[in-house]
């Protein structure tokens, strides 16, 4: 009789309710939103010192990275700054992205290789940070819905 009472008590106490489902669902949504927000924040401080860093230059927020770049033919790009609009693990994707930009009217796009096996689609190379910042702003205006594959949702200015 005691075991029957305990079994009945367990069945009643474990019964899921709509209120419990709603609370668990809301908690999961909140956790997912917080995780998505954390992923979209640029790394700062000691969290990451090898990825793009958010900087303020003349009132503009830009992502800056220092990395050695070479064009896929092995030559060094002109200038000291590259406006990167995508980063890939294989050169074919960087070539395709650059070709798509050239076909869309952005004639200065070129693929480039960095150390550690990364390949960039570079919108342009320039001699100064100010020129690169302006060119990145022009790119954002020309391609407002560009996906910036592998980058933090904006062009990254690479000092090479």
């Amino acid at each position: 009789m005691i075991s029957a009472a305990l079994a009945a008590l367990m069945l009643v106490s474990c019964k899921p309710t709509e209120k419990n489902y709603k609370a668990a669902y809301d908690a999961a949504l909140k956790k997912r939103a917080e995780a998505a927000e954390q992923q979209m924040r640029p790394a700062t401080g000691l969290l990451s010192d090898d990825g793009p860093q958010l900087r303020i230059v003349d009132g503009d927020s830009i992502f800056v990275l220092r990395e050695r770049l070479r064009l896929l033919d092995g030559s060094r790009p002109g200038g000291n700054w590259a406006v990167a609009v995508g980063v890939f693990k294989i050169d074919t994707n960087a070539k395709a992205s650059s070709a798509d930009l050239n076909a869309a009217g952005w004639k200065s796009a070129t693929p480039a290789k960095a150390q550690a096996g990364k390949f960039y689609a570079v919108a342009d190379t320039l001699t100064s940070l100010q020129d690169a910042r302006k060119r990145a702003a022009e790119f954002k205006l020309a391609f407002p819905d560009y996906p910036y594959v592998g980058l933090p949702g904006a062009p990254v200015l690479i000092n090479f």
Side-chain angles (χ1 to χ4, degrees), residues 94-132:
K95 289 176 185 176
S97 181
S98 299
D100 289 347
L101 288 172
N102 284 318
W106 195 267
K107 298 299 181 189
S108 56
T110 186
K113 182 181 185 204
Q115 291 180 336
K118 293 188 283 187
F119 297 90
Y120 287 95
V122 174
D124 208 348
T125 57
L126 301 120
T127 57
S128 73
L129 175 61
Q130 296 302 331
D131 291 341

Side-chain angles (χ1 to χ4, degrees), residues 45-63:
L46 295 176
L47 294 176
S48 173
D49 59 357
D50 61 346
Q53 300 295 311
L54 185 62
R55 302 280 186 247
I56 307 297
V57 177
D58 293 336
D60 285 343
S61 297
I62 59 172
F63 289 95

Side-chain angles (χ1 to χ4, degrees), residues 24-104:
Y25 179 76
D26 289 342
L29 284 180
K30 182 179 177 187
K31 187 174 180 180
R32 181 184 293 169
E34 288 171 357
E37 181 181 333
Q38 288 294 328
Q39 290 175 348
M40 294 306 293
R41 289 185 187 158
T44 58
L46 295 176
L47 294 176
S48 173
D49 59 357
D50 61 346
Q53 300 295 311
L54 185 62
R55 302 280 186 247
I56 307 297
V57 177
D58 293 336
D60 285 343
S61 297
I62 59 172
F63 289 95
V64 179
L65 177 66
R66 181 157 178 80
E67 188 151 23
R68 178 174 285 167
L69 287 182
R70 296 282 181 215
L71 297 178
L72 289 185
D73 66 5
S75 65
R76 186 178 188 282
N80 298 320
W81 290 90
V83 179
V85 294
V87 61
F88 306 93
K89 291 183 180 182
I90 58 175
D91 64 344
T92 305
N93 292 336
K95 289 176 185 176
S97 181
S98 299
D100 289 347
L101 288 172
N102 284 318

